[in-house]
Amino acid sequence: LSGGVALRDAARRGIAIDAMGGDRAPSEVVKGAVAAARQMPDLNLHLVGNEELVRNELEAAEWGGENIRIVPAKHVIEMGDSPIEALRRKRGSSIEEAVLLLRQGEADAVVSAGNTGACVAASTLRLGLLPRVKRAGIAVAFYAGDRPVIIIDVGANVASKPEHLIQYGIMASLYSRRILEVENPRVSLLNVGEEDEKGNRLTKETHGLFQKTRLNFVGNIEGVEIFRSASDVVVCDGFTGNIVLKVAEGLAERLVELFKEVLGQALDPAVVSTGEGGKGGEQAAVAAVLRRSLGKVHERLDYSEYGGAPLLGVNGVVIIAHGRSDAKAIFNAIRVARLIAELDLNRDITEEIQAFSERE
Amino acid sequence: LSGGVALRDAARRGIAIDAMGGDRAPSEVVKGAVAAARQMPDLNLHLVGNEELVRNELEAAEWGGENIRIVPAKHVIEMGDSPIEALRRKRGSSIEEAVLLLRQGEADAVVSAGNTGACVAASTLRLGLLPRVKRAGIAVAFYAGDRPVIIIDVGANVASKPEHLIQYGIMASLYSRRILEVENPRVSLLNVGEEDEKGNRLTKETHGLFQKTRLNFVGNIEGVEIFRSASDVVVCDGFTGNIVLKVAEGLAERLVELFKEVLGQALDPAVVSTGEGGKGGEQAAVAAVLRRSLGKVHERLDYSEYGGAPLLGVNGVVIIAHGRSDAKAIFNAIRVARLIAELDLNRDITEEIQAFSERE
């Protein structure tokens, strides 16, 4: 478990992982890290957290390799903690130490499934923002139809100004093109109507500014269109984006429940025997098909499949994974963190933001 | 089809229906009105719109009763029209004439599935607001779990101030209690976190004000909680509410599609025959169960079941039905319009708003 030698190997990418962050930490986080270490042996993983707990999990995962090391951290910021206050009170928390590893050049990226606000605050305070970037934004990608759609910002910045939204559009467009491999991504502004003049003061001002960028700006988009692949990048303020994300999560959860309920009733023997050909034993077959199908729908919806949400605009690669992340979600987050670091997305963002500022 | 006699019977409730409003007007609107006229023979229904088209639909529906009359209107405001501009250009549109019937005392309520913005503008301009009410708000009710949940405002007012939101809470709480029969409705503020100090400037200011009301205010609510029956009335600004509503609509649509896709694959003979007991003919049985189940889920989600969304705060009963309303949705909207008029919800709203203003 001593990663010291590997660390000095400059050719290897290092990822700092907040081993204590998330509802299922450290167990699922460590499992995900072990899976990544196995599949990407050229990575150095730094598991930041309570040494004993993390070591136990590594042992439980039967990990004996060299490319994971434990970096001790004294505190854990809980999901319910007030971010700024917790960062002050719990100096040396796992998320803060992970971010510091990045700042010190020992890691190329950070992954955390912990308190989102604390992760944003620690990253912004300790790493700073990229040149000319005014606010960092969280970009969440999910499948709608057959293409990935990005929503930015989903909660880093709840008091957005027009120029923040423009920068979100620029940054997320690059993320879409370079990381998700969408050609010439269509960028839109989330609004209450498609007409140019619709919306509140923020969206009206922002709409005009977007038209001056070199982005493939396709105008306003309504909520219902997000899921119809009408756009590849949907820009909104962090208040709206956070609510959209959580409403979508709540509704999807409720819908899957509702399907189970309704199908459960449909599979009741009394119901099944009333005609449609179902007789006794066939129920098991139907139920099995349904269970598999529900699982697949869940997979297609699950944005953890995309490997967490990058915090775009900070001077470093920071990936925020969902609080409920399991090992697979953590594995995917590590994979995406690595990709963003390797492709040096932040260099592109810096150049584009500079080019846009100079044209203004 | 001459309702003149019935009109002079003051004991009968009159409902003015925008026969031209909605994607499926006038056909589905007229069908819904005919169903209501059959089931509630004590109602007078005024179908406002193109006389010939409406008459043809009435004939197609084989309606020969006396409690429906046609009120001619010269214009139709289309779904895509800019509301204020269209009201100016198309004087005497079906929605405007319907609202005027209410103002003239010939109808007790208005139902429209047409252009929402035009309906809000016509109602606000022609009827005015109830005493001390600052802004009208659209209250949408839907099932989450086993209880109805109301979201207000879903788009009447995209530039909300704290006092508007407080009034929305008061009005929707009365709607919940008196019309949806929820006891002591829990009122919450839609926000990005549950802690009191969370949110943007609007929600922070509003939160403090809500604590001073006599409402059963349960604090901030996150998007994911809406569908967990954590609150009976969810208050938000019209920008956020409109986006929430449309995101929910888009996601539900997409999810039902996804279920169909995945289940379609699961029902492929090649798949079904690989083990789970399915053999040839049983597929039909499975498919039938699934089709029925999808239909039921759709029904449970469908907020048209609740009979449209009242525009609370205007001096009159105005029900906005979904643009895609079918006959059943129109029927339900008429039913709710009648109930709100009969129970005189606006008197309660006026009293509560006055009581709150005086305590301040």
Side-chain angles (χ1 to χ4, degrees):
Chain A
L1 294 179
S2 67
V5 176
L7 260 182
R8 280 186 286 276
D9 178 354
R12 302 180 79 166
R13 295 275 160 195
I15 315 265
I17 299 160
D18 173 7
M20 313 305 288
D23 299 337
R24 301 161 82 175
S27 160
E28 290 292 313
V29 178
V30 172
K31 276 186 206 149
V34 166
R38 286 211 170 96
Q39 208 169 309
M40 299 176 265
D42 59 320
L43 274 187
N44 281 321
L45 301 180
H46 313 276
L47 287 174
V48 188
N50 179 298
E51 201 165 0
E52 196 187 332
L53 290 176
V54 176
R55 191 177 306 280
N56 290 346
E57 293 294 341
L58 278 174
E59 278 164 15
E62 299 186 353
W63 177 250
E66 289 216 330
N67 59 337
I68 295 183
R69 71 158 182 159
I70 302 173
V71 178
K74 287 194 293 280
H75 296 292
V76 179
I77 296 184
E78 307 293 342
M79 302 305 264
D81 283 347
S82 167
I84 303 287
E85 197 258 328
L87 280 173
R88 209 174 289 140
R89 192 166 39 92
K90 297 181 174 176
R91 282 202 167 267
S93 64
S94 57
I95 177 61
E96 186 171 28
E97 294 295 334
V99 167
L100 289 174
L101 284 179
L102 197 159
R103 186 165 91 171
Q104 290 148 12
E106 293 190 47
D108 302 284
V110 169
V111 169
S112 175
N115 183 311
T116 298
C119 186
V120 171
S123 304
T124 310
L125 295 170
R126 297 300 190 187
L127 304 173
L129 299 173
L130 292 169
R132 297 171 201 249
V133 169
K134 302 287 183 191
R135 289 286 186 287
I138 303 172
V140 160
F142 64 97
Y143 263 118
D146 297 322
R147 313 167 58 110
V149 175
I150 298 169
I151 303 187
I152 185 170
D153 167 44
V154 299
N157 166 23
V158 297
S160 306
K161 293 182 177 166
E163 65 176 322
H164 305 160
L165 299 193
I166 300 297
Q167 292 192 338
Y168 290 158
I170 294 171
M171 297 193 290
S173 178
L174 286 166
Y175 170 48
S176 174
R177 184 159 65 81
R178 299 223 48 219
I179 309 299
L180 305 181
E181 299 184 332
V182 173
E183 248 182 86
N184 195 22
R186 296 159 299 166
V187 177
S188 64
L189 181 63
L190 187 59
N191 209 334
V192 295
E194 286 180 13
E195 303 80 7
D196 290 2
E197 74 284 358
K198 280 274 173 122
N200 56 16
R201 192 197 288 186
L202 175 64
T203 59
K204 283 180 193 169
E205 281 182 36
T206 306
H207 189 278
L209 284 178
F210 260 126
Q211 290 177 317
K212 294 182 193 161
T213 66
R214 290 184 188 172
L215 293 169
N216 181 12
F217 181 60
V218 295
N220 292 328
I221 189 177
E222 289 195 69
V224 71
E225 295 294 331
I226 297 180
F227 303 96
R228 294 178 182 158
S229 300
S231 166
D232 304 302
V233 172
V234 177
V235 176
C236 58
D237 68 279
F239 182 86
T240 306
N242 188 270
I243 284 174
V244 162
L245 194 72
K246 288 183 179 164
V247 162
E249 202 177 325
L251 178 60
E253 178 189 285
R254 176 73 195 125
L255 265 167
V256 168
E257 235 170 59
L258 205 52
F259 268 95
K260 280 186 189 162
E261 243 171 65
V262 167
L263 290 169
Q265 285 161 9
L267 292 174
D268 183 90
V271 177
V272 173
S273 64
T274 56
E276 320 290 334
K279 294 180 210 88
E282 288 152 21
Q283 274 189 67
V286 178
V289 168
L290 295 179
R291 261 196 307 276
R292 275 189 323 208
S293 298
L294 283 168
K296 276 188 199 164
V297 167
H298 199 256
E299 220 168 80
R300 295 271 295 273
L301 273 179
D302 189 1
Y303 62 83
S304 69
E305 290 284 314
Y306 266 100
L311 177 64
L312 298 178
V314 291
N315 187 16
V317 177
V318 177
I319 303 290
I320 298 173
H322 196 284
R324 289 203 306 247
S325 289
D326 59 8
K328 191 173 77 177
I330 297 293
F331 172 88
N332 281 327
I334 294 169
R335 199 177 45 73
V336 168
R338 175 206 185 128
L339 190 63
I340 294 180
E342 274 179 5
L343 295 179
D344 204 356
L345 182 67
N346 281 345
R347 195 189 51 204
D348 291 7
I349 288 177
T350 304
E351 284 175 13
E352 278 295 322
I353 294 280
Q354 183 178 351
F356 175 71
S357 307
E358 283 169 3
R359 280 202 309 280
E360 265 195 311
Chain B
L1 292 178
S2 67
V5 175
L7 258 183
R8 279 186 286 277
D9 179 355
R12 301 180 80 163
R13 295 274 160 195
I15 314 263
I17 298 160
D18 173 9
M20 312 305 286
D23 300 338
R24 302 161 81 174
S27 158
E28 290 291 315
V29 177
V30 173
K31 275 186 209 148
V34 166
R38 286 214 170 93
Q39 209 169 307
M40 298 175 266
D42 59 321
L43 273 187
N44 280 323
L45 300 181
H46 313 276
L47 286 174
V48 187
N50 180 297
E51 201 164 359
E52 196 187 332
L53 291 177
V54 175
R55 191 175 306 277
N56 289 346
E57 293 296 340
L58 278 174
E59 278 165 14
E62 298 185 352
W63 177 249
E66 290 217 329
N67 58 337
I68 295 183
R69 71 159 184 160
I70 301 174
V71 178
K74 286 193 295 281
H75 296 292
V76 179
I77 296 184
E78 305 293 341
M79 300 305 265
D81 282 346
S82 167
I84 302 288
E85 198 259 326
L87 280 174
R88 207 173 291 140
R89 191 166 41 89
K90 297 181 174 176
R91 281 198 167 269
S93 64
S94 56
I95 176 62
E96 188 172 25
E97 294 295 334
V99 168
L100 288 174
L101 285 180
L102 198 158
R103 187 165 90 171
Q104 290 148 12
E106 295 191 44
D108 303 284
V110 169
V111 169
S112 175
N115 184 313
T116 298
C119 186
V120 170
S123 304
T124 310
L125 294 172
R126 296 300 187 192
L127 304 174
L129 299 173
L130 292 170
R132 298 172 201 248
V133 169
K134 302 288 183 188
R135 289 286 186 287
I138 303 172
V140 160
F142 63 95
Y143 263 121
D146 297 322
R147 311 165 60 108
V149 175
I150 298 169
I151 303 188
I152 184 169
D153 166 46
V154 300
N157 165 23
V158 298
S160 306
K161 292 181 178 167
E163 65 176 322
H164 307 159
L165 299 193
I166 300 296
Q167 292 192 337
Y168 290 158
I170 294 171
M171 296 192 292
S173 179
L174 286 165
Y175 171 46
S176 173
R177 184 157 64 81
R178 298 224 48 217
I179 309 301
L180 305 181
E181 300 184 332
V182 173
E183 249 181 83
N184 195 20
R186 294 159 301 166
V187 177
S188 64
L189 180 64
L190 187 58
N191 209 335
V192 296
E194 287 180 11
E195 303 79 7
D196 290 2
E197 74 285 357
K198 280 276 173 118
N200 56 17
R201 191 195 290 184
L202 175 64
T203 58
K204 283 180 195 169
E205 281 181 36
T206 306
H207 189 280
L209 284 179
F210 260 126
Q211 290 177 318
K212 294 183 195 160
T213 65
R214 290 184 190 173
L215 293 167
N216 181 11
F217 181 60
V218 296
N220 292 326
I221 190 176
E222 290 195 69
V224 72
E225 295 295 330
I226 297 179
F227 303 96
R228 294 177 183 157
S229 300
S231 166
D232 304 302
V233 173
V234 177
V235 176
C236 58
D237 68 278
F239 182 86
T240 305
N242 189 271
I243 284 174
V244 162
L245 193 73
K246 289 182 177 163
V247 161
E249 201 176 325
L251 178 61
E253 178 188 286
R254 176 72 194 124
L255 265 168
V256 169
E257 234 170 59
L258 205 53
F259 269 96
K260 280 186 189 159
E261 243 171 63
V262 167
L263 289 169
Q265 284 161 10
L267 293 175
D268 184 272
V271 178
V272 175
S273 65
T274 57
E276 322 290 335
K279 295 180 211 90
E282 289 153 21
Q283 274 190 68
V286 177
V289 169
L290 294 179
R291 261 194 308 276
R292 275 188 323 203
S293 299
L294 282 168
K296 277 189 197 162
V297 167
H298 199 257
E299 220 169 80
R300 294 271 295 272
L301 271 180
D302 189 1
Y303 62 83
S304 68
E305 290 286 314
Y306 268 100
L311 177 63
L312 298 179
V314 290
N315 186 17
V317 177
V318 177
I319 303 291
I320 299 174
H322 197 284
R324 288 202 307 247
S325 289
D326 58 9
K328 190 174 75 177
I330 297 294
F331 172 86
N332 280 327
I334 293 170
R335 198 176 44 75
V336 167
R338 175 207 186 129
L339 190 62
I340 294 180
E342 274 180 4
L343 294 179
D344 203 357
L345 183 67
N346 281 345
R347 195 189 51 200
D348 291 6
I349 289 177
T350 303
E351 284 174 12
E352 278 295 320
I353 294 279
Q354 183 178 349
F356 175 71
S357 305
E358 283 169 3
R359 280 202 310 279
E360 261 194 316

